[in-house]
Amino acid sequence: MNEPETDVVQAVEHATEAEPHDNRRQVLYWRLLARLFDPEEQAALESASLAVVEDIGLPPALLDPGASVDSIVQRHPELAAEFDGLMVPEAEAGTQTEAGGRPEPGAQTEAGARPEADDGDIRDRPAEVRRAALVSKVLLNVFSTGTGAVSAGQLARWQSDAGWLERALGCTPGDLRGGRAGGGRGVSPTGSGGNGRTPDLSRLIPQIGPELGALEGDLVKRMHLREVLADPALAARLTPSMSLIEQLLRDKNNLSGVALANAKALIRRFVDEVAEVLRTQVEKATVGAIDRSVPPKRVFRNLDLDRTIWKNLTNYSPEEERLYVDRLYYRHTARRTTPQRLVVVVDQSGSMVDSMVNCTILASIFAGLPKVDVHLIAYDTQALDLTPWVHDPFETLLRTNLGGGTDGTVAMALAQPKIAEPRNTVVVWISDFYEWRGEPLYDSMAALHRSGVKFIPVGSVTSSGRGSVNPWFRERFKDLGTPVLSGHIRKLVHELKTFLT
């Protein structure tokens, strides 16, 4: 048999061998789609999927919609490592590409799938089937949320499963849903850590973060929150999240006694978690550059010994073996300080709750820095000066009232008298800019910018980046040279860092 005929035979044998694995993988994904769109079991798909799962050595509990990923990992700890990074795209999986941009053999290109192998290489098809079973479990538990009322236990289980999905995507639990930003290795309810990577998920269509946040928000709305909060045992099972905090802030005036105390405890816990992460970012960002316009302080601890010796080498006496010093040199230690005043104006309409929480906490952190005078204003159709409570974001959030219309001119009237030195002032304005009196408000904002104030319009600063901004304002801010800032809270910290240093 000549070489071409041998290649054909090998190709046929390869295809024949691959077909059963491809069929198994398709069975698992067809079952996933069927269960997502129809909660009723499809007997043929269920029995076929069970046979596949048992044959590849995975626990049948993977097919049980009532079993959380956490409970499966507790019974089968060896699966925790398989769930971590299960759906990480190629670049974040640490794979390399050839000069022509083509992935190397075995490189991961999609969540749960690998490309065709180069000539002479064979795909690990059994591993692909195993991956399909694990991916199906995570996706089904997260995206099949059912209908009707939701208990505190069901919400806690969904949050746990959503955390496993985030870990499968290479993130820390809580990262994609907004609010808490994980630092370092993530910790799941079972105590095992995430892989600490920060993957580029921009290729996921649609963006999965906002969808997870929307699912969680829907579950919170379907839960009888007041009854849960009134029971300390049930309230203790709640995990604070942005969706839950929004509902608590909306409903806080209708709570009392034990329910109100439990609601405050959840808000305080969430605020502390977010503040811890933001404080680290601010500390890294607000270290000012060396200010060489300020003469160095002539004290011993600032003496630059190396420079002093170098500059006086011409005075060295070989006969005496002695260096005569004509001049001492000192290090510059003065740093450029932050501006004297930071004015944060927050639209407290319901659509801005995520940004409001993050920016309120951020304002409190900057208020704790030396030489920074922070003022905080919240508004809807009326403006409220929250400056007396700016150091405590918890108390600040309790004084906000979500919902209602937006009239930024009343907030501007309160903010303008606070600007004593325009060139030493930053004004951060957080809103979707759907205003009742848009043109007068924009004119006053443009006047602030022309006066020398660092004006930062913020449309949305969240972990997911979802937000709608009035296109009329967006275009005019762009023309003014102050484009609307939207995205992760780190963007706002970076903008402030650029100005402060």
Side-chain angles (χ1 to χ4, degrees), residues 325-378:
V325 177
D326 291 337
R327 179 182 173 186
L328 296 175
Y329 291 84
Y330 296 87
R331 297 184 185 90
H332 288 78
T333 57
R335 294 184 178 272
R336 295 173 188 169
T337 57
T338 53
Q340 295 179 351
R341 185 153 294 182
L342 172 63
V343 181
V344 181
V345 184
V346 184
D347 172 0
Q348 61 177 352
S349 63
S351 61
M352 297 300 298
V353 62
D354 202 339
S355 296
M356 184 186 70
V357 170
N358 279 297
C359 291
T360 299
I361 295 172
L362 190 61
S364 73
I365 294 171
F366 274 101
L369 298 178
K371 300 181 181 180
V372 182
D373 180 21
V374 179
H375 293 253
L376 181 62
I377 299 169

Side-chain angles (χ1 to χ4, degrees), residues 89-111:
E90 170 197 347
E92 289 72 39
T95 58
Q96 303 292 327
T97 57
E98 299 174 359
R102 184 181 180 184
E104 288 185 352
Q108 196 172 5
T109 56
E110 297 180 359

Side-chain angles (χ1 to χ4, degrees), residues 122-156:
I122 300 177
R123 288 165 52 184
D124 190 351
R125 295 180 183 276
E128 291 180 359
V129 177
R130 187 178 184 89
R131 191 179 307 111
L134 298 174
V135 168
S136 297
K137 177 58 180 175
V138 177
L139 294 180
L140 183 60
N141 277 28
V142 172
F143 289 100
S144 180
T145 56
T147 58
V150 174
S151 68
Q154 288 174 316
L155 177 63

